[in-house]
Amino acid sequence: ICRFYNVYGDYMIYEGDYATVIAIFEKQLREGKPLTITGDGEQRRDFTHVDDIVDALIKIKRAMWGEVDMRYAGEIFELGRGENFSINEVADMFGGEKKYIDARPGEYPTTLCDTSEAEKVLDWKPIKNLKDYIIEVVNG
């Protein structure tokens, strides 16, 4: 079982119910609109680049084919960065005007991945950094 944490990168969905905050902020920045932040923006999220997810999935596939020790068959692999940021911090990385909107009911206050099992079993560690990605987007 793989649990992904706020995946961003190529081919993100930029609008609709499945759009991520990174994609929404990226689109709003391109359009010169304020970045919309739900609630007070202090909810914290762990963000993972799609390239890191693909790397982990390839290692899992190899494990399933017996190329690595699979004593851990049926385990849950959390695939995230192991670092989280508040939505306010993410908006600050993008820069520009912010607009606060009503909080969404049922939203978790914090997500933070524990990558220890994936690191131990798969020898996997994420390498992409959210700040670097946003700098690329902003500098275009």
Side-chain angles (χ1 to χ4, degrees):
I1 299 168
C2 298
R3 292 188 178 144
F4 302 159
Y5 284 73
N6 296 286
V7 180
Y8 67 92
D10 294 341
Y11 305 104
M12 287 186 292
I13 298 170
Y14 288 89
E15 48 190 72
D17 292 342
Y18 297 102
T20 64
V21 67
I22 301 301
I24 292 167
F25 283 179
E26 195 173 319
K27 182 175 188 277
Q28 289 170 332
L29 182 72
R30 275 197 317 264
E31 294 174 351
K33 295 180 178 176
L35 306 180
T36 53
I37 299 172
T38 60
D40 65 4
E42 288 304 305
Q43 58 274 37
R44 299 187 70 80
R45 298 289 177 266
D46 191 328
F47 297 94
T48 318
H49 194 278
V50 66
D51 290 353
D52 288 326
I53 296 294
V54 170
D55 182 50
L57 292 174
I58 289 169
K59 289 180 182 230
I60 290 167
K61 178 192 103 27
R62 287 181 180 150
M64 290 172 64
W65 285 5
E67 295 176 28
V68 296
D69 184 356
M70 265 318 279
R71 289 176 292 159
Y72 301 96
E75 287 293 319
I76 296 169
F77 295 111
E78 295 204 3
L79 304 177
R81 181 89 176 135
E83 174 183 21
N84 62 16
F85 299 94
S86 75
I87 301 305
N88 285 323
E89 290 171 326
V90 173
D92 289 342
M93 289 180 214
F94 276 95
E97 183 183 349
K98 299 180 215 172
K99 176 183 174 187
Y100 291 86
I101 60 176
D102 291 339
R104 291 186 290 193
E107 189 170 43
Y108 284 100
T110 303
T111 63
L112 180 60
C113 180
D114 175 3
T115 62
S116 59
E117 193 71 10
E119 288 178 27
K120 179 176 77 175
V121 175
L122 304 171
D123 191 29
W124 175 81
K125 189 159 181 75
I127 59 172
K128 298 283 186 158
N129 185 306
L130 178 64
K131 291 176 188 177
D132 294 339
Y133 177 83
I134 293 173
I135 289 169
E136 257 185 59
V137 167
V138 169
N139 294 330

